Each structure stands twice: as structure tokens, then as C-alpha cells.
Amino acid sequence: EALAAYEELCHEERATLEAIHAGILKCHRLVGATITGSSINSSLLQQWRPDVVLVEEAAEVLESKLLAALADSVSHLIMIGDHQQLPPQVEEYALKKDLKFDVSMMERLIRMNLPHV
């Protein structure tokens, strides 16, 4: 019973902090974050509702991390990087070999002949 009450309080604290952070974000037009931080705080980004996301070194970012960082409100994704340089780092051989996880979303889109410069 005490453990359940403690877990409930922890949940309420997290929700309160997230609401405070969302309120702070809504006051700003530009926010910077790492791709990992964006993935971890994806629910916060959903509340902020950004229109545009700019990803630097996009060729090195795992597709799954990038997708986790995108809010459903995003209408423009700008990826900066060189797809012929370093690929995303994937430790699991099967993920690289069988599922091509070592190919970034940026490289996949370029291979599909999407416009790029």
C-alpha cells in the first residue's frame, strides 16, 4: 500500500514537472536539444508542438531515434549532414546486416531521389 502511494506521488511529480517544462517551452520560438534528449523527452515535444525540426549531423542519427524525436505537429524536417561520411553507430551485427540499421533516414531519403542539396 505504501509502495503504491509512493509510485503515485512519483508519477504526479513527473507529470507536474513535465507540465512546467512544457509551459516554459511554449514561451520560446527556438529550442535546442540533442537527438537523445529529444527522444527521451518526446512527450514534452508533443506538448510543445514544433512546426520545424532541424537535425545537425543527420547522417549519423539512427532512424529510430529521429522518429522518436518528431512530434506529430512537425511539417518540415531539415536534415543537415553528409550521407557519405559516418553512418549511424549500430553495435548489433544482425541489425546492421539484416535490417540495414546502419543506414540513416537521410541516406534512405536521398537514395529514393528526394530533392536535396
Side-chain angles (χ1 to χ4, degrees):
E1 185 176 306
L3 180 59
Y6 172 75
E7 289 175 349
E8 179 62 28
L9 287 173
C10 288
H11 176 73
E12 288 177 16
E13 179 186 27
R14 281 192 300 273
T16 301
L17 286 173
E18 190 169 288
I20 291 169
H21 291 148
I24 292 169
L25 284 178
K26 288 181 181 182
C27 296
H28 294 82
R29 291 179 43 104
L30 178 67
V31 174
T34 64
I35 197 71
T36 301
S38 298
S39 298
I40 291 169
N41 294 294
S42 62
S43 63
L44 187 58
L45 290 177
Q46 290 289 345
Q47 291 179 50
W48 183 45
R49 305 196 49 76
D51 298 343
V52 179
V53 170
L54 183 131
V55 180
E56 194 252 345
E57 294 297 348
E60 296 180 42
V61 176
L62 284 170
E63 189 168 346
S64 56
K65 284 189 175 183
L66 181 56
L67 290 174
L70 294 179
D72 60 3
S73 61
V74 173
S75 60
H76 290 79
L77 173 62
I78 302 167
M79 294 186 283
I80 300 172
D82 184 348
H83 67 286
Q84 296 177 336
Q85 293 292 321
L86 296 173
Q89 296 298 309
V90 179
E91 301 300 322
E92 183 64 40
Y93 180 74
L95 291 176
K96 283 199 262 191
K97 181 177 181 254
D98 300 335
L99 301 175
K100 309 288 189 238
F101 267 43
D102 60 336
V103 178
S104 68
M105 178 187 279
M106 180 180 192
E107 187 169 349
R108 289 178 204 274
L109 294 173
I110 289 171
R111 286 180 182 177
M112 292 172 53
N113 295 320
L114 263 68
H116 62 282
V117 292

